[in-house]
Amino acid sequence: MVSLRFTKDHEYVRLDGDIATIGITDYAQKQLGDVVFVELPDVGAKLERGKQAAIVESVKAASEVYAPLTGVVVAVNEALPDTPAIVNSSPLAGGWFLKMTLAHAGEMDVLMSEADYNAYVETLG
Amino acid sequence: MAADISLKQTPLVMAHRASGARMVPFAGYEMPLHYEDGILAEHNWTRGNAGLFDVSHMGQAELVGPDHETTARALEALVPADILGLEPGKQRYTQLLNPSGGIIDDVMVSRGGDDGRLALVVNAARASVDYAHMMSALPPVVRLLAHEDRALLALQGPKAAAVLAEHEATLAAMSFMSVRHVRLAGIDCVVSRSGYTGEDGFEIALGARDAPRLWAVLTGEDDVRPVGLGARDTLRLEAGLCLYGHDIDETTSPIEAGLAFSVAKRRRQEGGFPGARRLMGELAGDMKRQRVGIIVEGRQPAREGCAILDPAKGLRIGIITSGGFSPTVGRPVAMGYLPPTHAVAGTALHVQVRDKRLNALVTAMPFVPHRYARAG
């Protein structure tokens, strides 16, 4: 079963079985503008919910991407170093950042549903 | 985003919003960072076609004296350029200097006709400092008039000349750094052949109330698209041009900043400008640091504030003052200050970006060759 959840910091989590795929939302890529570089963690790195997981650099600025969950990185998107613009063109599919294990299943429950996230983005104007 | 009522607006704010601009605070103004196409597309459009920039936030002022010699000598007491020799219809780049030879602001000076007037364009964030400085230093016979009712557009790129020539054929023959009064679309304008992108182009000064109409006329051309401050910054970085408050400030001298071309030969011999002793010493080789261009290996940008390290010893030897990903070069580029021993093209460096040390090389600027209209 696949479930999609979101954070207020505009990361998404797609949980498929016990592996979570993490990336940034369409709203986030639009705010950042043209992505030119993504700094990813190493496979095996331990991530803590709310702490820095990656850094995304657009033409304008560098922005932190926070871990939406606690767990261990099991894969990173090898396409991003050479084609970072895929984060702009396909944030929820080809532009994913990393895959991780989920240490605390309950952490999924505090994340927003797609409907709640869309309503939240509406309030940001 | 809620409107910030403390921000000033240019006469073109409605046009920007209508074009889908993302508006941000900049130097006290609400300015377009980019339009719907985004910074990268606007950058590339300017390099290939013609980008139209609203730079009405910049300060426009005039020095008014009884004759050119009086006004020019008054300004020469504040800047190291040859203003006395500035011919009618010509523009010059210079810097207001403090007594230590540091840069209060960098400014464009132009002489319209054969009279005692000189027009100035100054940085928005420095305008009030510049005006107070000049008013305290100018002799009583030379007045400073700050024009708050003016707008400034920049049309930049290889197609800029052809676009303006459709409205006024004589503009295509203007030489770089010349200035002239013309009517464009029936509007009185002062046009200079200059800019801040490294491309051929023009800056067009006009009355604030006429600005929306000229903006509409020019953006209506197929070869012209509006371009925001985001691309203005990446374009000027590629062109190796200084941004005040970043690459130059009250501590840096024009010699350290690589602006010696703008310190006139006569002024070097005669002196008589603030900080002359320091500038002369630096010209003679007594220099602590120099602005350099840097190309960073890989794709990760090294931005303002990153430390520059000597790769052999790991010691900090300088700092990056501007940096980012260059769309035209396709690599990260930066500028920063280094001791003269390291300010040599080809010198290997490390730059510290967060917890990583990236390999980098000192390189000649500009990163993208200038394409100014040299011959008239």
Side-chain angles (χ1 to χ4, degrees), chain A residues 9 11 13 19 37 39-40 49 71 76 78 92 94 102 117:
Chain A
D9 297 317
E11 293 96 14
V13 178
I19 298 297
F37 183 81
E39 186 178 323
L40 295 166
R49 185 169 73 91
V76 295
E78 303 289 350
L92 276 87
L102 176 54
Y117 177 73

Side-chain angles (χ1 to χ4, degrees), chain A residues 3 20-21 26 30 35 39 63 68 70 74 82 86 88 94-96 101-102 118 120:
Chain A
S3 62
T21 302
D26 189 55
K30 279 187 184 139
V35 172
E39 186 178 323
S63 308
T70 302
V74 296
D82 290 330
I86 197 170
N88 294 115
W96 62 278
T101 60
L102 176 54
N118 290 340
Y120 167 66

Side-chain angles (χ1 to χ4, degrees), chain A residues 30-37 39-40 52 55 57-62 80-84 124-125, chain B residues 1 22 33-34 37-41 230 234 298-303 323-325 327 353-356:
Chain A
K30 279 187 184 139
Q31 291 294 308
L32 290 169
D34 309 294
V35 172
V36 295
F37 183 81
E39 186 178 323
L40 295 166
Q52 182 187 306
I55 291 172
E57 301 245 15
S58 68
V59 172
K60 283 198 299 261
L80 293 188
D82 290 330
T83 54
L124 302 176
Chain B
M1 197 193 321
R22 176 154 178 215
L33 181 64
H34 59 78
D37 292 344
I39 294 174
L40 208 51
T234 52
R299 288 188 62 97
Q300 182 162 20
R303 300 181 192 269
F325 192 84
V353 180
R354 295 180 290 274
D355 58 347
K356 282 191 189 151

Side-chain angles (χ1 to χ4, degrees), chain A residues 13-119:
Chain A
V13 178
R14 179 178 287 107
L15 187 66
D16 189 355
D18 53 4
I19 298 297
T21 302
I22 312 298
I24 65 169
T25 66
D26 189 55
Y27 176 85
Q29 69 81 13
K30 279 187 184 139
Q31 291 294 308
L32 290 169
D34 309 294
V35 172
V36 295
F37 183 81
V38 181
E39 186 178 323
L40 295 166
D42 295 328
V43 171
K46 288 181 176 134
L47 301 183
E48 193 178 335
R49 185 169 73 91
K51 299 284 172 62
Q52 182 187 306
I55 291 172
V56 55
E57 301 245 15
S58 68
V59 172
K60 283 198 299 261
S63 308
E64 291 187 324
V65 175
Y66 303 104
L69 303 167
T70 302
V72 176
V73 178
V74 296
V76 295
N77 188 346
E78 303 289 350
L80 293 188
D82 290 330
T83 54
I86 197 170
V87 176
N88 294 115
S89 59
S90 181
L92 276 87
W96 62 278
F97 280 30
L98 59 92
K99 294 179 192 289
M100 64 187 293
T101 60
L102 176 54
H104 311 295
E107 285 183 351
M108 278 300 280
D109 300 335
V110 301
L111 300 176
M112 282 184 273
S113 70
E114 188 164 12
D116 287 349
Y117 177 73
N118 290 340

